[in-house]
PDB file of all heavy atoms in Angstrom:
ATOM      1  N   MET A 866      -1.186  -4.928   1.477  1.00  0.00           N
ATOM      2  CA  MET A 866      -1.512  -4.312   0.212  1.00  0.00           C
ATOM      3  C   MET A 866      -0.205  -4.510  -0.840  1.00  0.00           C
ATOM      4  O   MET A 866       0.856  -4.879  -0.301  1.00  0.00           O
ATOM      5  CB  MET A 866      -1.584  -2.787   0.358  1.00  0.00           C
ATOM      6  CG  MET A 866      -2.373  -2.360   1.554  1.00  0.00           C
ATOM      7  SD  MET A 866      -4.128  -2.429   1.327  1.00  0.00           S
ATOM      8  CE  MET A 866      -4.595  -1.136   0.305  1.00  0.00           C
ATOM      9  N   HIS A 867      -0.372  -4.214  -2.013  1.00  0.00           N
ATOM     10  CA  HIS A 867       0.708  -4.067  -2.910  1.00  0.00           C
ATOM     11  C   HIS A 867       1.622  -3.001  -2.454  1.00  0.00           C
ATOM     12  O   HIS A 867       1.093  -1.906  -2.259  1.00  0.00           O
ATOM     13  CB  HIS A 867       0.332  -3.966  -4.397  1.00  0.00           C
ATOM     14  CG  HIS A 867      -0.587  -5.037  -4.829  1.00  0.00           C
ATOM     15  ND1 HIS A 867      -0.173  -6.326  -4.967  1.00  0.00           N
ATOM     16  CD2 HIS A 867      -1.907  -4.888  -5.062  1.00  0.00           C
ATOM     17  CE1 HIS A 867      -1.226  -7.033  -5.384  1.00  0.00           C
ATOM     18  NE2 HIS A 867      -2.328  -6.232  -5.424  1.00  0.00           N
ATOM     19  N   VAL A 868       2.933  -3.213  -2.179  1.00  0.00           N
ATOM     20  CA  VAL A 868       3.869  -2.188  -1.781  1.00  0.00           C
ATOM     21  C   VAL A 868       4.395  -1.367  -2.934  1.00  0.00           C
ATOM     22  O   VAL A 868       5.328  -1.709  -3.548  1.00  0.00           O
ATOM     23  CB  VAL A 868       4.960  -2.763  -0.950  1.00  0.00           C
ATOM     24  CG1 VAL A 868       5.885  -1.743  -0.323  1.00  0.00           C
ATOM     25  CG2 VAL A 868       4.406  -3.730   0.150  1.00  0.00           C
ATOM     26  N   THR A 869       3.533  -0.331  -3.219  1.00  0.00           N
ATOM     27  CA  THR A 869       3.857   0.584  -4.355  1.00  0.00           C
ATOM     28  C   THR A 869       3.979   1.992  -3.798  1.00  0.00           C
ATOM     29  O   THR A 869       3.676   2.269  -2.710  1.00  0.00           O
ATOM     30  CB  THR A 869       2.642   0.536  -5.429  1.00  0.00           C
ATOM     31  OG1 THR A 869       1.568   0.989  -4.769  1.00  0.00           O
ATOM     32  CG2 THR A 869       2.405  -0.908  -5.858  1.00  0.00           C
ATOM     33  N   THR A 870       4.333   2.915  -4.800  1.00  0.00           N
ATOM     34  CA  THR A 870       4.433   4.331  -4.498  1.00  0.00           C
ATOM     35  C   THR A 870       3.044   4.814  -4.024  1.00  0.00           C
ATOM     36  O   THR A 870       2.933   5.591  -3.172  1.00  0.00           O
ATOM     37  CB  THR A 870       4.866   5.029  -5.626  1.00  0.00           C
ATOM     38  OG1 THR A 870       4.108   4.836  -6.716  1.00  0.00           O
ATOM     39  CG2 THR A 870       6.291   4.753  -5.970  1.00  0.00           C
ATOM     40  N   GLU A 871       2.004   4.265  -4.606  1.00  0.00           N
ATOM     41  CA  GLU A 871       0.682   4.793  -4.274  1.00  0.00           C
ATOM     42  C   GLU A 871       0.289   4.234  -2.904  1.00  0.00           C
ATOM     43  O   GLU A 871      -0.361   5.045  -2.197  1.00  0.00           O
ATOM     44  CB  GLU A 871      -0.353   4.219  -5.339  1.00  0.00           C
ATOM     45  CG  GLU A 871      -0.206   4.840  -6.710  1.00  0.00           C
ATOM     46  CD  GLU A 871       1.080   4.193  -7.489  1.00  0.00           C
ATOM     47  OE1 GLU A 871       1.430   3.098  -7.149  1.00  0.00           O
ATOM     48  OE2 GLU A 871       1.676   4.906  -8.356  1.00  0.00           O
ATOM     49  N   THR A 872       0.585   3.068  -2.498  1.00  0.00           N
ATOM     50  CA  THR A 872       0.316   2.524  -1.282  1.00  0.00           C
ATOM     51  C   THR A 872       1.099   3.349  -0.175  1.00  0.00           C
ATOM     52  O   THR A 872       0.555   3.597   0.806  1.00  0.00           O
ATOM     53  CB  THR A 872       0.675   0.964  -1.109  1.00  0.00           C
ATOM     54  OG1 THR A 872      -0.140   0.308  -2.036  1.00  0.00           O
ATOM     55  CG2 THR A 872       0.438   0.463   0.239  1.00  0.00           C
ATOM     56  N   GLN A 897       7.553  -3.159  -4.538  1.00  0.00           N
ATOM     57  CA  GLN A 897       8.750  -2.297  -5.059  1.00  0.00           C
ATOM     58  C   GLN A 897       9.644  -2.089  -3.867  1.00  0.00           C
ATOM     59  O   GLN A 897       9.367  -1.384  -2.824  1.00  0.00           O
ATOM     60  CB  GLN A 897       7.968  -0.995  -5.603  1.00  0.00           C
ATOM     61  CG  GLN A 897       7.062  -1.327  -6.715  1.00  0.00           C
ATOM     62  CD  GLN A 897       6.282  -0.087  -7.113  1.00  0.00           C
ATOM     63  OE1 GLN A 897       6.419   1.008  -6.663  1.00  0.00           O
ATOM     64  NE2 GLN A 897       5.372  -0.332  -8.112  1.00  0.00           N
ATOM     65  N   ASP A 941      -6.051  -6.747   0.910  1.00  0.00           N
ATOM     66  CA  ASP A 941      -6.144  -6.811  -0.622  1.00  0.00           C
ATOM     67  C   ASP A 941      -6.027  -8.229  -1.086  1.00  0.00           C
ATOM     68  O   ASP A 941      -4.886  -8.688  -1.224  1.00  0.00           O
ATOM     69  CB  ASP A 941      -5.050  -5.858  -1.205  1.00  0.00           C
ATOM     70  CG  ASP A 941      -5.222  -5.669  -2.732  1.00  0.00           C
ATOM     71  OD1 ASP A 941      -5.890  -6.649  -3.369  1.00  0.00           O
ATOM     72  OD2 ASP A 941      -4.595  -4.721  -3.267  1.00  0.00           O
ATOM     73  N   GLU A 966      -9.884  -4.315  -0.470  1.00  0.00           N
ATOM     74  CA  GLU A 966      -9.638  -3.448  -1.664  1.00  0.00           C
ATOM     75  C   GLU A 966     -10.144  -4.199  -2.917  1.00  0.00           C
ATOM     76  O   GLU A 966     -10.441  -3.425  -3.863  1.00  0.00           O
ATOM     77  CB  GLU A 966      -8.028  -3.350  -1.694  1.00  0.00           C
ATOM     78  CG  GLU A 966      -7.510  -2.803  -2.995  1.00  0.00           C
ATOM     79  CD  GLU A 966      -7.684  -1.214  -3.258  1.00  0.00           C
ATOM     80  OE1 GLU A 966      -8.279  -0.770  -2.250  1.00  0.00           O
ATOM     81  OE2 GLU A 966      -7.265  -0.854  -4.241  1.00  0.00           O
ATOM     82  N   ASP A1000     -10.685   2.266 -10.806  1.00  0.00           N
ATOM     83  CA  ASP A1000      -9.503   1.441 -10.668  1.00  0.00           C
ATOM     84  C   ASP A1000      -9.471   0.255 -11.494  1.00  0.00           C
ATOM     85  O   ASP A1000      -8.695  -0.182 -12.313  1.00  0.00           O
ATOM     86  CB  ASP A1000      -9.427   1.179  -9.186  1.00  0.00           C
ATOM     87  CG  ASP A1000      -8.400   0.075  -8.738  1.00  0.00           C
ATOM     88  OD1 ASP A1000      -8.316  -0.940  -9.365  1.00  0.00           O
ATOM     89  OD2 ASP A1000      -7.722   0.411  -7.684  1.00  0.00           O
ATOM     90  N   SER A1008      -2.678  -0.622 -16.981  1.00  0.00           N
ATOM     91  CA  SER A1008      -1.415  -1.352 -16.288  1.00  0.00           C
ATOM     92  C   SER A1008      -1.339  -2.682 -16.837  1.00  0.00           C
ATOM     93  O   SER A1008      -0.122  -3.120 -16.967  1.00  0.00           O
ATOM     94  CB  SER A1008      -1.600  -1.327 -14.695  1.00  0.00           C
ATOM     95  OG  SER A1008      -2.728  -1.854 -14.285  1.00  0.00           O
ATOM     96  N   LEU A1154      -0.488 -11.813 -10.949  1.00  0.00           N
ATOM     97  CA  LEU A1154      -0.990 -10.446 -11.379  1.00  0.00           C
ATOM     98  C   LEU A1154      -0.160  -9.743 -12.337  1.00  0.00           C
ATOM     99  O   LEU A1154       0.909  -9.183 -11.734  1.00  0.00           O
ATOM    100  CB  LEU A1154      -1.223  -9.648 -10.071  1.00  0.00           C
ATOM    101  CG  LEU A1154      -2.550  -9.317  -9.534  1.00  0.00           C
ATOM    102  CD1 LEU A1154      -2.527  -8.462  -8.293  1.00  0.00           C
ATOM    103  CD2 LEU A1154      -3.506  -8.832 -10.481  1.00  0.00           C
ATOM    104  N   ASN A1156      -0.058  -7.024 -14.076  1.00  0.00           N
ATOM    105  CA  ASN A1156       0.156  -5.512 -14.131  1.00  0.00           C
ATOM    106  C   ASN A1156       1.018  -5.185 -12.872  1.00  0.00           C
ATOM    107  O   ASN A1156       1.581  -4.037 -12.915  1.00  0.00           O
ATOM    108  CB  ASN A1156      -1.270  -4.874 -14.089  1.00  0.00           C
ATOM    109  CG  ASN A1156      -2.074  -5.218 -12.843  1.00  0.00           C
ATOM    110  OD1 ASN A1156      -1.923  -6.231 -12.201  1.00  0.00           O
ATOM    111  ND2 ASN A1156      -2.974  -4.455 -12.426  1.00  0.00           N
ATOM    112  N   LEU A1157       1.157  -5.928 -11.867  1.00  0.00           N
ATOM    113  CA  LEU A1157       2.017  -5.666 -10.779  1.00  0.00           C
ATOM    114  C   LEU A1157       3.295  -6.374 -10.734  1.00  0.00           C
ATOM    115  O   LEU A1157       4.399  -5.930 -10.287  1.00  0.00           O
ATOM    116  CB  LEU A1157       1.288  -5.795  -9.439  1.00  0.00           C
ATOM    117  CG  LEU A1157       0.309  -4.695  -9.066  1.00  0.00           C
ATOM    118  CD1 LEU A1157      -1.023  -5.138  -8.554  1.00  0.00           C
ATOM    119  CD2 LEU A1157       0.932  -3.709  -8.277  1.00  0.00           C
ATOM    120  N   GLU A1161       4.081  -1.568 -12.900  1.00  0.00           N
ATOM    121  CA  GLU A1161       4.165  -0.956 -11.721  1.00  0.00           C
ATOM    122  C   GLU A1161       2.736  -0.867 -11.029  1.00  0.00           C
ATOM    123  O   GLU A1161       2.484  -0.103 -10.098  1.00  0.00           O
ATOM    124  CB  GLU A1161       4.670   0.415 -11.761  1.00  0.00           C
ATOM    125  CG  GLU A1161       6.150   0.478 -12.089  1.00  0.00           C
ATOM    126  CD  GLU A1161       6.762   1.827 -12.351  1.00  0.00           C
ATOM    127  OE1 GLU A1161       6.580   2.747 -11.306  1.00  0.00           O
ATOM    128  OE2 GLU A1161       7.161   2.066 -13.484  1.00  0.00           O
ATOM    129  N   GLY A1162       1.733  -1.623 -11.558  1.00  0.00           N
ATOM    130  CA  GLY A1162       0.376  -1.534 -11.076  1.00  0.00           C
ATOM    131  C   GLY A1162      -0.409  -0.176 -11.656  1.00  0.00           C
ATOM    132  O   GLY A1162       0.282   0.351 -12.591  1.00  0.00           O
ATOM    133  N   HIS A1163      -1.486   0.102 -11.001  1.00  0.00           N
ATOM    134  CA  HIS A1163      -2.240   1.135 -11.749  1.00  0.00           C
ATOM    135  C   HIS A1163      -1.543   2.429 -11.537  1.00  0.00           C
ATOM    136  O   HIS A1163      -0.934   2.661 -10.370  1.00  0.00           O
ATOM    137  CB  HIS A1163      -3.593   1.165 -11.067  1.00  0.00           C
ATOM    138  CG  HIS A1163      -4.400  -0.009 -11.054  1.00  0.00           C
ATOM    139  ND1 HIS A1163      -4.112  -1.141 -11.751  1.00  0.00           N
ATOM    140  CD2 HIS A1163      -5.589  -0.328 -10.382  1.00  0.00           C
ATOM    141  CE1 HIS A1163      -5.019  -2.010 -11.671  1.00  0.00           C
ATOM    142  NE2 HIS A1163      -6.004  -1.590 -10.707  1.00  0.00           N
ATOM    143  N   PRO A1164      -1.694   3.497 -12.347  1.00  0.00           N
ATOM    144  CA  PRO A1164      -1.115   4.708 -12.209  1.00  0.00           C
ATOM    145  C   PRO A1164      -1.698   5.463 -11.001  1.00  0.00           C
ATOM    146  O   PRO A1164      -2.815   5.231 -10.562  1.00  0.00           O
ATOM    147  CB  PRO A1164      -1.557   5.456 -13.448  1.00  0.00           C
ATOM    148  CG  PRO A1164      -1.944   4.433 -14.463  1.00  0.00           C
ATOM    149  CD  PRO A1164      -2.283   3.222 -13.621  1.00  0.00           C
ATOM    150  N   ALA A1165      -0.865   6.311 -10.441  1.00  0.00           N
ATOM    151  CA  ALA A1165      -1.247   7.104  -9.204  1.00  0.00           C
ATOM    152  C   ALA A1165      -2.575   7.821  -9.302  1.00  0.00           C
ATOM    153  O   ALA A1165      -3.426   7.870  -8.426  1.00  0.00           O
ATOM    154  CB  ALA A1165      -0.160   8.014  -8.826  1.00  0.00           C
ATOM    155  N   MET A1168      -5.345   5.315  -8.663  1.00  0.00           N
ATOM    156  CA  MET A1168      -5.212   4.952  -7.178  1.00  0.00           C
ATOM    157  C   MET A1168      -5.575   5.976  -6.252  1.00  0.00           C
ATOM    158  O   MET A1168      -5.926   5.749  -5.046  1.00  0.00           O
ATOM    159  CB  MET A1168      -3.920   4.288  -6.877  1.00  0.00           C
ATOM    160  CG  MET A1168      -3.344   3.159  -7.644  1.00  0.00           C
ATOM    161  SD  MET A1168      -4.634   1.828  -7.666  1.00  0.00           S
ATOM    162  CE  MET A1168      -4.592   1.309  -5.948  1.00  0.00           C
ATOM    163  N   PHE A1172      -7.657   4.855  -3.033  1.00  0.00           N
ATOM    164  CA  PHE A1172      -6.994   5.052  -1.667  1.00  0.00           C
ATOM    165  C   PHE A1172      -7.651   6.195  -0.913  1.00  0.00           C
ATOM    166  O   PHE A1172      -7.543   6.236   0.273  1.00  0.00           O
ATOM    167  CB  PHE A1172      -5.467   5.148  -1.765  1.00  0.00           C
ATOM    168  CG  PHE A1172      -4.941   3.888  -2.067  1.00  0.00           C
ATOM    169  CD1 PHE A1172      -3.559   3.743  -2.449  1.00  0.00           C
ATOM    170  CD2 PHE A1172      -5.550   2.738  -2.068  1.00  0.00           C
ATOM    171  CE1 PHE A1172      -2.842   2.479  -2.789  1.00  0.00           C
ATOM    172  CE2 PHE A1172      -4.969   1.397  -2.318  1.00  0.00           C
ATOM    173  CZ  PHE A1172      -3.632   1.319  -2.660  1.00  0.00           C
TER     174      PHE A1172
HETATM  175  N1  ADE B1139      -3.386  -2.368  -7.195  1.00  0.00           N
HETATM  176  C1  ADE B1139      -3.309  -2.143  -8.519  1.00  0.00           C
HETATM  177  N2  ADE B1139      -2.372  -1.148  -8.727  1.00  0.00           N
HETATM  178  C2  ADE B1139      -1.923  -0.774  -7.491  1.00  0.00           C
HETATM  179  C3  ADE B1139      -0.904   0.186  -7.122  1.00  0.00           C
HETATM  180  N3  ADE B1139      -0.471   0.854  -8.042  1.00  0.00           N
HETATM  181  N4  ADE B1139      -0.833   0.340  -5.888  1.00  0.00           N
HETATM  182  C4  ADE B1139      -1.437  -0.563  -4.894  1.00  0.00           C
HETATM  183  N5  ADE B1139      -2.313  -1.559  -5.304  1.00  0.00           N
HETATM  184  C5  ADE B1139      -2.587  -1.595  -6.563  1.00  0.00           C
END
Side-chain angles (χ1 to χ4, degrees):
M866 317 280 284
H867 302 295
V868 180
T869 65
T870 52
E871 294 75 27
T872 301
Q897 298 172 3
D941 185 337
E966 168 77 0
D1000 168 316
S1008 59
L1154 254 181
N1156 58 336
L1157 283 139
E1161 292 173 63
H1163 305 351
M1168 293 312 294
F1172 285 169

